[in-house]
Amino acid sequence: MSVLHCADLSPATLNTLLSAKLAQAPAFFMQAPIVLNLSDVLQTPDFTALKSLFTELKLVLVGVSGANAAQKIAAHAAGLAVLQVGKATVKTKEPASQAQSASSTAEASNDRRPTANAAPSIAPATMDSKIVEQTVRSGQQIYAKGTDLIIKGAVGAGAEVIADGNIHIYGSLRGKAIAGASGDTSKRIYCYNLQAELVSIAGNYWLSDSLQGKFWSNSACIKMQDDSLVISELV
Amino acid sequence: MAKIIVVTSGKGGVGKTTSSAAIGTGLALAGHKTVIVDFDIGLRNLDLIMGCERRVVYDFVNVINGEANLKQTLIKDKRTDNLFILPASQTRDKDALTREGVEKVLNELAKDFDFIICDSPAGIESGAMMALYFADEAVVVTNPEVSSVRDSDRIIGMLSSKSRRAEQGLEGIKEHLLLTRYNPERVEKGEMLSVEDVKEILAIELIGVIPESQAVLNASNSGQPVILDTESDAGQAYLDTIKRLLGEQVPFRFLTVEKKSFIKRIFGG
């Protein structure tokens, strides 16, 4: 949901600002639900007036976040939802300090970091790989968000292993492996024994039919090259 | 303290109830006080395999609902000492089992018995989950064919994530692989997965291989657990399985094609 941050909530100023913004992409914001963030605002605005302003601009004001006690009461009275500040907003401040303190060591050892996140100053300095110590059974699904996935065992038929980073499987891959799930084509899949139902890197996939041949039931590395998947020897 | 063993598979018709009956009987024969609990509410079969279908008065659901006590409900096996059966209800469905109710009954059984064998229904729904939730050990019954192996893989995943031991962070359920309906001739022809294939895919310890045998069908039809048919290969294979379950080292039998003798080849048989 779109969140609007604005320090000056007088209807006139807001009208000018929003109209300018909406002119850029009128269809995109048509009847969009909007949450108003009040963390920079001290006084209690006239929520009823704001609501009618939003309606005029073909937007729907659904609630407020970051409100203080008085603002909450007023928002309730105007029939607006009072929401918690989203996690994403909080995160921007907190990990930044960690990143600075740990970045010198991490940057040298971790070459995937710059591509993993568009805003490196916000991301934590190092993302630990997700390590699974046992076999992934049929029907199980494992997702390594924003990092690599390492599996010390097999991936059974009907199981799915997904990572935004690379996938390493120290056993047979009989299920599905999806690397670079958030769209990073530089990610790879490594496995000891390739018998996969499906392999995919950044949305480009091959079914088991395309994997038959020299590398079937052998160790293999799958990567993207010139907009196509290629399989090569692991070592 | 009683040991709770669930006999499970995911897929139906692979031999869970036959194996539950054989394992329960085998443990009782070895001198351990054993009860076999039928968790297949609505599709009661264990009583038929055990040949006690005419003696069912009360059932598992009656006990859970407090309509009967355990003493009234347990059926004592006529052939084997130390062996009791807790039949399932045929008129109810799987939702009649509640976790609290099952726990109460199992706790009560645990006071009297050395082994509680839980005969799981097929599937991965509430009935099967209820049967495996309280288990200490699991016998995963698998046929040497791909769909059964995949379903077993799924159930093994559930054993390690959906059981009480998993939820409380205790040592995981000890999983045993029981391969049933094994036919070495068809394995040799490449029509059936071999023991090695299945072991490789499921990666759990093998506890027994039961050969495909007419004796199993005969035993089911006559309501006598096949393990009592000590002449048959299947009966002997189950006896070996019990020894392994109790910690003995026994070599595996019936894994290769038996060479027919000259006379048998001429006259058939």
Side-chain angles (χ1 to χ4, degrees), chain A residues 115-117 143-147 162-165 178-185 187 200-203:
Chain A
T115 52
N117 203 307
Y143 175 38
K145 190 173 164 52
T147 186
I162 305 164
D164 289 334
I178 296 158
S182 52
D184 187 344
T185 52
K187 300 306 173 198
S200 163
I201 293 170

Side-chain angles (χ1 to χ4, degrees), chain A residues 135-140 156-158 172 174 197, chain B residues 150 153-154 156-157 160-161 200-204:
Chain A
T135 292
V136 184
R137 302 284 177 182
S138 184
Q140 290 179 330
S172 300
R174 299 190 189 87
E197 290 170 351
Chain B
R150 180 181 291 186
D153 196 35
R154 181 89 217 250
I156 297 168
S160 54
S161 62
E200 211 254 320
I201 295 173
L202 293 181
I204 60 172

Side-chain angles (χ1 to χ4, degrees), chain A residues 115-132:
Chain A
T115 52
N117 203 307
S121 63
I122 295 169
T126 172
M127 284 286 261
D128 286 336
S129 300
K130 188 178 177 80
I131 301 176
V132 178

Side-chain angles (χ1 to χ4, degrees), chain B residues 33-236:
Chain B
K33 200 172 176 197
T34 305
V35 57
I36 315 174
V37 183
D38 192 349
F39 273 79
D40 206 347
I41 311 296
L43 294 167
R44 183 173 76 205
N45 281 160
L46 180 70
D47 54 327
L48 289 170
I49 307 288
M50 294 299 296
C52 62
E53 69 275 16
R54 287 193 205 89
R55 296 163 61 210
V56 177
V57 182
Y58 295 111
D59 59 53
F60 196 3
V61 174
N62 292 138
V63 181
I64 287 179
N65 293 346
E67 294 148 7
N69 63 35
L70 266 179
K71 211 175 158 199
Q72 293 170 303
T73 311
L74 285 174
I75 303 173
K76 190 179 184 320
D77 191 81
K78 282 190 170 165
R79 295 163 298 240
T80 317
D81 286 342
N82 301 320
L83 182 60
F84 292 81
I85 291 110
L86 181 58
S89 169
Q90 181 70 356
T91 51
R92 305 293 298 273
D93 60 34
K94 309 278 190 272
D95 300 330
L97 295 182
T98 59
R99 192 171 277 179
E100 296 72 32
V102 171
E103 183 171 27
K104 198 184 78 187
V105 173
L106 290 180
N107 283 344
E108 208 169 318
L109 289 170
K111 288 181 206 152
D112 281 341
F113 289 92
D114 302 326
F115 285 98
I116 302 171
I117 310 295
C118 302
D119 180 20
S120 170
I124 51 171
E125 287 78 32
S126 67
M129 291 301 110
M130 210 62 85
L132 68 78
Y133 185 75
F134 296 98
D136 301 308
E137 296 191 22
V139 173
V140 180
V141 183
T142 306
N143 287 170
E145 46 106 9
V146 283
S147 58
S148 174
V149 171
R150 180 181 291 186
D151 291 0
S152 294
D153 196 35
R154 181 89 217 250
I155 263 303
I156 297 168
M158 301 237 162
L159 288 168
S160 54
S161 62
K162 297 275 162 69
S163 62
R164 176 171 63 175
R165 283 176 169 269
E167 281 180 7
Q168 297 182 353
L170 305 170
E171 193 189 337
I173 293 179
K174 203 167 158 193
E175 298 140 344
H176 309 280
L177 172 62
L178 180 64
L179 207 53
T180 55
R181 294 226 177 108
Y182 195 69
N183 186 333
E185 270 174 47
R186 294 188 59 195
V187 171
E188 228 165 64
K189 286 187 204 154
E191 296 171 356
M192 202 177 243
L193 294 174
S194 72
V195 177
E196 294 310 317
D197 291 339
V198 180
K199 266 171 73 179
E200 211 254 320
I201 295 173
L202 293 181
I204 60 172
E205 173 230 359
L206 183 69
I207 194 144
V209 180
I210 314 299
E212 191 167 41
S213 166
Q214 186 61 39
V216 174
L217 197 60
N218 294 345
S220 298
N221 287 336
S222 61
Q224 176 156 319
V226 69
I227 199 167
L228 295 173
D229 184 358
T230 48
E231 300 289 301
S232 69
D233 47 0
Q236 290 174 25

